[in-house]
Amino acid sequence: MSAAPTLAETREELARLLSDARTSGRKVGLVPTMGALHDGHASLMREARAQVGDGPVVVSIFVNPMQFAPGEDLDRYPRTLEADLELCAAQGVDLVFAPAVDEVYPGGEPDVTIQPGPLATILEGATRPTHFRGVLTVVAKLFGLVRPDVAVFGQKDYQQLTLIRRMVADLCMGVDVVGAETLREPDGLAMSSRNRYLDTEQRRRAGALSQALVEARDASLWGADVALESARAEMRQAHGVDLDYLVIRAADLGELPCAVPDATEARILVAARVGSTRLIDNMPITLGATSASTRQGVSACCAP
Ligand code: PAF
């Protein structure tokens, strides 16, 4: 049995508990979460440990109201602090920061917030226009409170990860942002706190998202258009899965040029609703890397 992590609920407790690490010059690692922790989060904690060695690993657990629009699942988002603390203990986490809303937003929503720019208007941002402003604002606050050397985020929320990297670079925040690989269930479904909303039949249907991505990855050597069509064919066969988007973008989520050189690293991203649950997933793909596609040295592009 690993020792339980220390629980800090206020900024003062957090600052006091971290001051030792700072004076001893050890690195501080942060894993920001909204709780309802699962094995995917555990892998982020292991990555943080690998990054900071004997420095403290801090996990924040905070369901951030600013990133939910009215009508979204803020109220029903699972809150499972006891179980979360056990998972953190099993991963050797040193400190859990689980503040109340007033502690993070003492005067309500702040006047000064992070404007995420154009990348936040596509994909998830097209249906959730205020989401990434809320995400970046709370992540900036957590960075200010914890002052981590390294912060670990899951690649499952790839647009979020890309925007956080952009914020850190554009605002010179000096935090090393690590993107950890997505953990999957045996049928390929990406682990997510929201999977627990699915009933048995929906859970079975949800496997179609990752299957579509795998189809695309397997076909990607023939170029983006073929890869995308393979994924679309898989989604067309999926019953009870309401597709929102299925696109291939450059690794930085920019548009692919019309002719991409062979072996271009790209991302395929999908979002769909299963019942009332919105699921997202993505995978890295390498476009046009076969001798067949290298005949012309380029692959065709695909519009989003
Ligand atoms: O990915 C999440 O769980 C949240 O968006 C984050 C990064 C913890 C910010 O609230």
Side-chain angles (χ1 to χ4, degrees):
M1 270 269 295
S2 314
T6 308
L7 177 63
E9 292 177 316
T10 66
R11 299 167 179 226
E12 286 71 27
E13 284 167 342
L14 178 71
R16 185 169 44 75
L17 290 162
L18 282 173
S19 64
D20 261 8
R22 285 196 216 298
T23 45
S24 68
R26 287 177 297 156
K27 278 189 176 181
V28 176
L30 173 64
V31 181
T33 81
M34 298 205 300
L37 302 179
H38 49 69
D39 287 351
H41 292 111
S43 76
L44 307 186
M45 296 168 199
R46 288 193 292 276
E47 179 61 41
R49 173 60 65 211
Q51 295 283 334
V52 302
D54 67 351
V57 171
V58 182
V59 171
S60 63
I61 297 180
F62 179 64
V63 183
N64 172 35
M66 250 192 93
Q67 68 190 76
F68 292 79
E72 290 188 348
D73 57 343
L74 173 62
D75 293 335
R76 75 168 176 142
Y77 199 87
R79 286 150 171 96
T80 58
L81 186 60
E82 283 311 307
D84 291 350
L85 291 173
E86 278 174 29
L87 185 142
C88 290
Q91 297 305 320
V93 167
D94 300 285
L95 180 51
V96 170
F97 179 48
V101 173
D102 285 357
E103 194 65 28
V104 177
Y105 298 115
E109 193 169 305
D111 289 340
V112 177
T113 60
I114 305 281
Q115 288 301 338
L119 182 53
T121 62
I122 60 167
L123 305 173
E124 286 307 285
T127 45
R128 307 183 73 191
T130 57
H131 175 65
F132 289 116
R133 181 173 146 267
V135 170
L136 293 193
T137 301
V138 84
V139 170
K141 271 180 168 272
L142 290 168
F143 284 179
L145 291 167
V146 177
R147 289 191 281 135
D149 298 281
V150 185
V152 183
F153 297 86
Q155 290 184 19
K156 195 204 136 246
D157 295 298
Y158 192 74
Q159 190 176 7
Q160 166 176 287
L161 172 65
T162 307
L163 277 161
I164 290 168
R165 286 199 160 120
R166 183 68 69 85
M167 171 180 76
V168 165
D170 285 358
L171 302 182
C172 310
M173 287 179 156
V175 177
D176 191 2
V177 174
V178 174
E181 266 183 40
T182 303
L183 242 67
R184 297 181 179 280
E185 303 290 352
D187 70 342
L189 179 69
M191 289 189 187
S192 162
S193 304
R194 288 190 167 99
N195 291 351
R196 60 185 84 190
Y197 296 154
L198 302 170
D199 66 26
T200 311
E201 181 54 22
Q202 291 168 341
R203 169 65 191 78
R204 196 186 58 73
R205 291 176 171 178
L209 275 76
S210 61
Q211 278 153 27
L213 300 185
V214 168
E215 290 294 327
R217 193 184 58 196
D218 291 350
S220 62
L221 37 123
W222 302 104
D225 288 340
V226 177
L228 197 57
E229 185 40 41
S230 306
R232 284 199 178 127
E234 184 70 30
M235 292 303 287
R236 275 196 293 272
Q237 289 172 18
H239 296 290
V241 180
D242 187 9
L243 184 64
D244 179 357
Y245 60 77
L246 176 61
V247 296
I248 298 179
R249 309 280 300 203
D252 65 358
L253 294 184
E255 299 239 2
L256 283 173
C258 265
V260 295
D262 279 328
T264 294
E265 297 300 331
R267 277 271 156 179
I268 180 159
L269 305 101
V270 65
R273 227 167 244 290
V274 182
S276 61
T277 306
R278 185 184 161 77
L279 299 172
I280 58 173
D281 199 357
N282 69 86
M283 272 181 201
I285 57 174
T286 308
L287 296 173
T290 61
S291 51
S293 66
T294 49
R295 276 200 296 263
Q296 297 185 347
V298 294
S299 307
C301 71
C302 59

